[in-house]
Amino acid sequence: MYKQLCSKENLMKAFINARRGKTKKHYIINFEAKLEENLDKLHKELTNKTYKPHLLKVFIVKDPKTRRISKSRFRDRVVHHALINIIGRLFEKSFIYDSHANQKGKGTLRAIQRFNKFKRKVSKNNTKGCYVLKADIKHYFDEVNHDILLGILKNKVIDKRIINLIIKILKNSVVRGGGQTT
């Protein structure tokens, strides 16, 4: 699996997926200007197991509530997509059907269509009132237990090199005191 993850074909596919909808961003244009060189470098780093993610950029957004966002550099997002290209299919069948985030063939539009179907059913074609609960798990990505997550991953991903890559990525996202992400 790891050799497939590191392949230039997979990295190219990952690049295409990572840039989708963002082709006008300066960091995409810069990466693409030296695409072959950048993908070769990632290929070598992954193959030699010397890849190290860059520190996350942390910033605050207020839309509509205040949230702290940790953003990976684009080259690291290419690696994330390369990883998902390989291990994503191992997990797809175990996902809740109505989860639409970051899944092939799903997304915001499909989630809204599904919601509308349930809303029509519960409200008897909008003739009866109904309620919706919108919830959010506060600081979910900061609080998720990495040991439990790795245990789940290890049940399906048998290649230790892929697990080690995931550990590198997770360690890069550990938040330490004072809002610094290391």
Side-chain angles (χ1 to χ4, degrees):
M1 284 177 94
Y2 191 77
K3 191 173 182 178
Q4 192 179 2
L5 181 140
C6 300
S7 75
K8 291 182 181 181
E9 295 80 20
N10 186 42
L11 291 173
M12 177 58 84
K13 182 179 172 186
F15 162 73
I16 291 166
N17 290 336
R19 79 173 186 154
R20 187 169 287 124
K22 302 175 193 92
T23 56
K24 304 251 188 275
K25 300 278 185 182
H26 73 279
Y27 56 85
I28 306 273
I29 293 167
N30 292 340
F31 191 93
E32 195 166 10
K34 296 181 179 180
L35 182 59
E36 193 170 327
E37 180 182 325
N38 285 323
L39 293 182
D40 280 345
K41 185 175 181 187
L42 278 176
H43 169 73
K44 286 176 186 159
E45 289 176 18
L46 289 166
T47 301
N48 297 332
K49 296 179 211 75
T50 58
Y51 167 77
K52 184 177 178 191
H54 287 94
L55 291 178
L56 301 172
K57 179 180 178 183
V58 179
F59 56 95
I60 305 296
V61 296
K62 296 178 181 181
D63 181 29
K65 62 183 180 176
T66 302
R67 296 182 295 146
R68 193 182 85 241
I69 305 293
S70 300
K71 181 179 177 182
S72 298
R73 286 203 191 166
F74 183 71
R75 75 183 297 271
D76 296 326
R77 282 186 266 158
V78 171
V79 173
H80 301 167
H81 279 271
L83 186 58
I84 290 304
N85 289 345
I86 303 306
I87 70 167
R89 64 182 173 265
L90 299 174
F91 296 92
E92 285 172 357
K93 289 180 183 173
S94 62
F95 291 158
I96 296 169
Y97 181 79
D98 284 314
S99 175
H100 288 75
N102 300 307
Q103 292 190 56
K104 290 179 183 173
K106 295 190 176 185
T108 306
L109 178 60
R110 181 113 178 256
I112 291 169
Q113 291 169 341
R114 189 87 168 134
F115 168 78
N116 283 331
K117 177 182 177 181
F118 287 119
K119 182 183 74 167
R120 282 190 307 276
K121 185 175 182 179
V122 170
S123 69
K124 308 227 184 274
N125 282 328
N126 298 319
T127 62
K128 188 176 157 186
C130 60
Y131 296 92
V132 173
L133 171 66
K134 180 183 177 197
D136 188 12
I137 301 172
K138 187 175 181 179
H139 304 293
Y140 176 77
F141 289 103
D142 294 339
E143 302 293 331
V144 69
N145 185 309
H146 290 179
D147 293 330
I148 293 171
L149 176 61
L150 286 168
I152 293 167
L153 292 170
K154 287 176 183 177
N155 284 333
K156 296 205 181 218
V157 178
I158 56 173
D159 192 324
K160 290 189 187 319
R161 296 168 297 183
I162 289 181
I163 295 296
N164 289 334
L165 176 61
I166 294 168
I167 290 169
K168 276 186 187 182
I169 293 167
L170 288 174
K171 281 185 178 178
N172 190 47
S173 66
V174 172
V175 176
R176 308 241 191 257
Q180 296 293 319
T181 303
T182 58

